[in-house]
Amino acid sequence: MYVKPKKELGQHFLKDLSIAQRIAELLTGHGEYKKVLEIGPGMGVLTQFVLNDTRFETYVIEIDRESVDYLKQHFPALDGHILPADFLNIRPDLLPTKQPDSTELFAVIGNFPYNISTQILFKILDMRDRVPEVVGMFQREVAQRVASGPGNKDYGILSVLLQAWYDIKYEFTVDPSVFNPPPKVFSGVLSLRRNAVTDLGCDVRKFTQVVKHGFSQRRKTLRNALKPLNPTEAALASPFMDKRAEQLSVAQFVELTQLMMNDEL
């Protein structure tokens, strides 16, 4: 039995076992979770190595019916651990085991479809208190953006929002030739590990708005980019306002948000 990669699902199946093993070995158990959820396992090239790690109980979530049938046939160890669903649309409390009202911790791993990888990260961000570790393969440009720091042209909204809650490392680059079919771009593997932050010290919704508005016109100073948010006098007096968004660290965005918190954003 063979699963044909489907373009509409953004499927590029990894065929290099050594790379799959390297990705699986990046799971550290950070946060003392016991369950791992793999997104989009396809034909299980990565899955087999996650299953071999006896520290964890492995679950997979797969939207492709053909892949689900393949996994059931070739990986009996996944019996009862396959969620035939769309990760982006499933209720968070049903993850990773499809048991309602779940609050348990779990890690996320996967060779993520490039067309939805950013959406996957935003959903994980919403579940940050339940997902202490993420290991994933992305389009290289997305991976670089997530891991970039202040002053870098790749540094942006996703960088700041994720780095507020996770320590992020760009692990290694993957050549297109190790996939079937080969994508037209290089891939990059990231690891994200939940940091010790439980409270930013400001309203998270307002922090997100400040970051998004700041980068919406990244060539402008924050004084101009944040005008629609009606900055307070304290915010307007801040030296941050004369900088561009890409020049501010996460901590500085938090500080700027605190200065703006007297106003409704």
Side-chain angles (χ1 to χ4, degrees), residues 185-234:
V185 296
F186 282 82
S187 303
V189 175
L190 287 178
S191 61
L192 296 82
R193 296 184 179 96
R194 189 73 167 82
N195 60 29
V197 175
T198 56
D199 183 356
L200 283 182
C202 65
D203 183 273
V204 174
R205 181 183 65 87
K206 294 182 178 182
F207 171 76
T208 302
Q209 287 182 317
V210 169
V211 173
K212 287 184 175 180
H213 273 78
F215 281 102
S216 67
Q217 302 180 71
R218 60 186 302 146
R219 291 187 177 183
K220 293 187 176 182
T221 64
L222 288 167
R223 189 175 304 279
N224 291 317
L226 298 181
K227 275 184 180 178
L229 301 184
N230 300 315
T232 61
E233 289 299 320

Side-chain angles (χ1 to χ4, degrees), residues 6-247:
K6 298 168 184 63
K7 186 176 181 180
E8 66 272 18
L9 295 178
Q11 290 177 327
H12 295 275
F13 294 146
L14 182 63
K15 57 184 183 181
D16 188 311
L17 295 182
S18 64
I19 291 176
Q21 184 173 8
R22 281 182 72 187
I23 294 171
E25 289 175 349
L26 289 171
L27 288 171
T28 66
H30 172 80
E32 300 184 355
Y33 60 86
K34 299 300 181 186
K35 292 181 170 62
V36 175
L37 177 67
E38 182 185 356
I39 298 174
M43 294 173 67
V45 172
L46 174 59
T47 314
Q48 60 189 310
F49 294 104
V50 183
L51 280 169
N52 285 342
D53 194 327
T54 57
R55 294 175 298 169
F56 311 124
E57 186 177 358
T58 303
Y59 290 80
V60 300
I61 183 166
E62 176 59 69
I63 194 173
D64 179 25
R65 187 73 244 179
E66 190 179 5
S67 291
V68 169
D69 291 341
Y70 181 93
L71 294 166
K72 286 180 177 178
Q73 182 174 333
H74 290 82
F75 293 92
L78 287 176
D79 184 35
H81 288 217
I82 301 174
L83 285 68
D86 181 353
F87 176 78
L88 294 181
N89 291 325
I90 194 170
R91 279 172 27 202
D93 69 305
L94 293 176
L95 297 171
T97 62
K98 216 171 183 181
Q99 297 298 314
D101 304 318
S102 175
T103 58
E104 65 186 326
L105 301 181
F106 64 98
V108 171
I109 194 169
N111 171 24
F112 302 138
Y114 297 152
N115 57 338
I116 60 168
S117 61
T118 298
Q119 294 165 268
I120 288 172
L121 285 173
F122 275 118
K123 181 156 185 171
I124 290 171
L125 187 61
D126 288 340
M127 296 188 291
R128 58 186 174 271
D129 291 332
R130 294 188 56 214
V131 182
E133 186 166 49
V134 182
V135 174
M137 181 142 53
F138 303 81
Q139 182 176 332
R140 181 171 59 178
E141 287 72 18
V142 173
Q144 289 172 332
R145 192 181 315 146
V146 171
S148 288
N152 190 304
K153 64 180 177 62
D154 295 324
Y155 185 65
I157 295 170
L158 203 55
S159 320
V160 176
L161 298 183
L162 283 167
Q163 290 174 30
W165 304 101
Y166 287 92
D167 295 325
I168 301 173
K169 182 180 178 183
Y170 186 100
E171 298 286 355
F172 58 92
T173 299
V174 181
D175 191 273
S177 62
V178 301
F179 296 93
N180 175 38
K184 295 179 180 179
V185 296
F186 282 82
S187 303
V189 175
L190 287 178
S191 61
L192 296 82
R193 296 184 179 96
R194 189 73 167 82
N195 60 29
V197 175
T198 56
D199 183 356
L200 283 182
C202 65
D203 183 273
V204 174
R205 181 183 65 87
K206 294 182 178 182
F207 171 76
T208 302
Q209 287 182 317
V210 169
V211 173
K212 287 184 175 180
H213 273 78
F215 281 102
S216 67
Q217 302 180 71
R218 60 186 302 146
R219 291 187 177 183
K220 293 187 176 182
T221 64
L222 288 167
R223 189 175 304 279
N224 291 317
L226 298 181
K227 275 184 180 178
L229 301 184
N230 300 315
T232 61
E233 289 299 320
L236 289 170
S238 168
F240 297 146
M241 285 298 201
D242 296 318
K243 295 185 177 184
R244 296 188 303 276
E246 66 187 44
Q247 296 176 282

